[in-house]
Amino acid sequence: MKSNFSLLSKLLILQYLSVLCLSQDFDFFYFILQWPGAYCDTKQSCCYPKTGKPTADFSIHGLWPNYKDGSWPSNCDPDSVFDKSQVSDLISNMEKNWPSLSCPSSNGMRFWSHEWEKHGTCAESELDQHEYFETALKLKQKANLLKALKDAGIEPDDEFYSLESISDAIKEGTGFTPGIECNKDSAHNSQLYQVYMCVDTSGSDLIECPLLPKSKCGSQIQFPKF
């Protein structure tokens, strides 16, 4: 009788923990866009996708579930692998707006697979695989960072702009304060590399960030040509 009770207790605890894991999803998304000109300098080299050189625009890096304490979940569902057939209607859009610049040159599948399996699987309570990629594509259009910067006279022309003016321009264009990540090129210039925007757990709306990644940018940063 005692052993049965003990077994039942263990099963109930396991069931509770599994529910707890499902309910403790995440608090918000980081939506990360990267500037390809800086990526190529950051890595010292880059390889254009098999579809050719991407357009000179910010491209999607990822849509990452995050917690307000600064931690994040990852690789939440080992059984859920990237399935190209589930996003077949989005592929051409993803090739344009979510290209891989890593070497060797690729068709993006490895990059998208990594993003889904590491980050997307941790948002499955909100977004299935098709919704996850479609949501990121819609968010890029909504943010429209390049337009926000150009409207403020900030162009990808190898010139230097103040970090404050870049942040202000993005806030003016999107309504929300961005996180700015920089890299250093071979000449040790601080460059505009990635922009972090925050998104609610449904993936629908940009929000003010509960916390922003620490910036390692100089006060003047270069917006490199691409």
Side-chain angles (χ1 to χ4, degrees):
M1 182 74 179
K2 189 177 178 183
S3 62
N4 284 344
F5 178 75
S6 175
L7 180 63
L8 182 62
S9 297
K10 285 176 181 175
L11 285 171
L12 286 170
I13 289 167
L14 282 171
Q15 187 178 29
Y16 170 74
L17 288 173
S18 68
V19 170
L20 193 66
C21 288
L22 286 172
S23 61
Q24 287 182 333
D25 289 318
F26 58 101
D27 297 322
F28 68 98
F29 284 109
Y30 273 137
F31 179 53
I32 301 99
L33 291 156
Q34 62 185 15
W35 181 249
Y39 178 99
C40 292
D41 278 351
T42 305
K43 305 295 182 185
Q44 305 302 320
S45 65
C46 63
C47 294
Y48 297 154
K50 291 181 177 177
T51 48
K53 182 180 178 178
T55 55
D57 191 5
F58 285 88
S59 61
I60 298 168
H61 181 171
L63 183 62
W64 302 349
N66 248 71
Y67 299 125
K68 286 179 181 175
D69 65 1
S71 65
W72 59 89
S74 66
N75 299 97
C76 295
D77 184 358
D79 297 325
S80 180
V81 297
F82 177 70
D83 179 0
K84 181 184 174 183
S85 69
Q86 289 192 36
V87 294
S88 54
D89 60 315
L90 303 174
I91 293 292
S92 61
N93 197 345
M94 288 163 66
E95 286 173 347
K96 180 184 176 187
N97 292 294
W98 202 331
S100 170
L101 287 166
S102 64
C103 297
S105 181
S106 73
N107 58 9
M109 297 296 166
R110 188 179 60 202
F111 183 25
W112 303 329
S113 178
H114 169 80
E115 289 301 311
W116 168 252
E117 288 163 22
K118 183 175 182 180
H119 302 289
T121 57
C122 298
E124 280 184 301
S125 62
E126 296 288 340
L127 305 168
D128 64 26
Q129 195 166 146
H130 185 276
E131 290 166 340
Y132 175 77
F133 287 98
E134 186 177 42
T135 292
L137 293 166
K138 286 179 177 176
L139 287 168
K140 178 182 181 291
Q141 199 172 16
K142 184 177 285 193
N144 206 346
L145 295 188
L146 192 58
K147 182 180 185 300
L149 291 168
K150 286 186 171 181
D151 284 350
I154 299 170
E155 305 265 355
D157 52 10
D158 283 345
E159 294 298 319
F160 286 79
Y161 300 91
S162 73
L163 174 62
E164 186 179 7
S165 68
I166 288 173
S167 181
D168 286 349
I170 293 172
K171 185 171 183 178
E172 177 70 25
T174 65
F176 299 98
T177 307
I180 309 288
E181 182 183 353
C182 296
N183 68 285
K184 282 194 166 69
D185 66 5
S186 55
H188 299 289
N189 293 317
S190 192
Q191 294 183 319
L192 176 58
Y193 174 39
Q194 296 200 125
V195 176
Y196 284 65
M197 303 300 297
C198 291
V199 181
D200 69 359
T201 53
S202 72
S204 305
D205 296 306
L206 295 171
I207 58 170
E208 201 61 36
C209 284
L211 75 165
L212 288 167
K214 289 179 181 174
S215 175
K216 294 181 180 177
C217 299
S219 58
Q220 295 288 317
I221 61 178
Q222 186 184 41
F223 196 1
K225 292 177 180 175
F226 182 63

